[in-house]
Amino acid sequence: FFFKQKTAYEIRNCDWSSDVCSSDLDRILLGRQKVWPAKRFSTFAGFVEPGESFENCVLREVREECGGEVASMNYLGSQPWPFPASIMIAYEAEISNPDDVKEDGEEIEEIVWLTREELKKNVASGNLLLPPAISVARAMINSWYGADALKELQGGESWRN
């Protein structure tokens, strides 16, 4: 007889990541945390609080980090995160007040709305560093950008300093 040992893994940390789009879906909102190198931008992200749903976390964090009011959101998927017992949950969110958003000054130091052409230009020139290709945030940016993302969004990548 062979007995397989079953190991239970508890997920202790749930992070979410959301690409925030304007109401016309032609612009994406990216933010830069204070701890990141200059020019490094990504989708918005945060931690799920105990007892909080993923959806409520997206609503709360987008409001806290940039003042955005989420009008709609779609679950995109998940990704194991390279920290013990962590997972990233990915959402796409459309906000109803794109002209009113601003960085919170605490976690988010700078935000930028970009069209696909502006994103391509800034990545190519080195004026904007995207998350690494293995991250769910980069997959979300690439998905929003479209089929040519792998070819056209070539440039620098960065984790942290």
Side-chain angles (χ1 to χ4, degrees):
F1 293 100
F2 292 97
F3 294 97
K4 287 187 175 182
Q5 180 181 355
K6 291 190 176 184
T7 305
Y9 292 97
E10 175 187 354
I11 297 175
R12 287 181 248 132
N13 294 320
C14 282
D15 303 332
W16 68 273
S17 185
S18 178
D19 64 345
V20 177
C21 298
S22 61
S23 55
D24 58 15
L25 303 180
D26 286 333
R27 296 183 298 157
I28 190 169
L29 182 65
L30 301 178
R32 190 176 72 74
Q33 291 186 13
K34 288 182 176 185
V35 298
W36 290 346
K39 303 180 184 180
R40 198 278 201 197
F41 284 82
S42 186
T43 58
F44 287 79
F47 291 97
V48 178
E49 298 291 337
E52 184 176 44
S53 71
F54 296 148
E55 295 79 8
N56 283 340
C57 178
V58 172
L59 294 171
R60 177 182 54 79
E61 287 280 357
V62 170
R63 187 178 306 115
E64 287 176 5
E65 292 185 353
C66 71
E69 294 298 329
V70 174
S72 64
M73 71 178 88
N74 296 309
Y75 171 77
L76 300 176
S78 63
Q79 175 189 32
W81 200 236
F83 300 104
S86 294
I87 190 166
M88 290 292 293
I89 309 297
Y91 278 85
E92 176 181 62
E94 181 183 335
I95 61 171
S96 60
N97 61 332
D99 296 330
D100 299 330
V101 297
K102 63 180 183 177
E103 55 279 335
D104 68 3
E106 294 176 29
E107 286 184 64
I108 305 300
E109 188 170 65
E110 186 178 358
I111 62 171
V112 61
W113 280 109
L114 297 165
T115 63
R116 286 166 181 83
E117 191 58 37
E118 290 167 334
L119 181 60
K120 177 183 172 181
K121 177 183 168 187
N122 281 290
V123 169
S125 69
N127 288 328
L128 193 139
L129 301 174
L130 291 176
I134 65 166
S135 69
V136 71
R138 182 61 174 270
M140 293 163 59
I141 292 168
N142 288 351
S143 176
W144 169 83
Y145 187 87
D148 294 329
L150 294 177
K151 178 177 65 176
E152 295 181 358
L153 295 181
Q154 298 294 319
E157 297 181 350
S158 175
W159 281 106
R160 295 181 182 259
N161 285 336

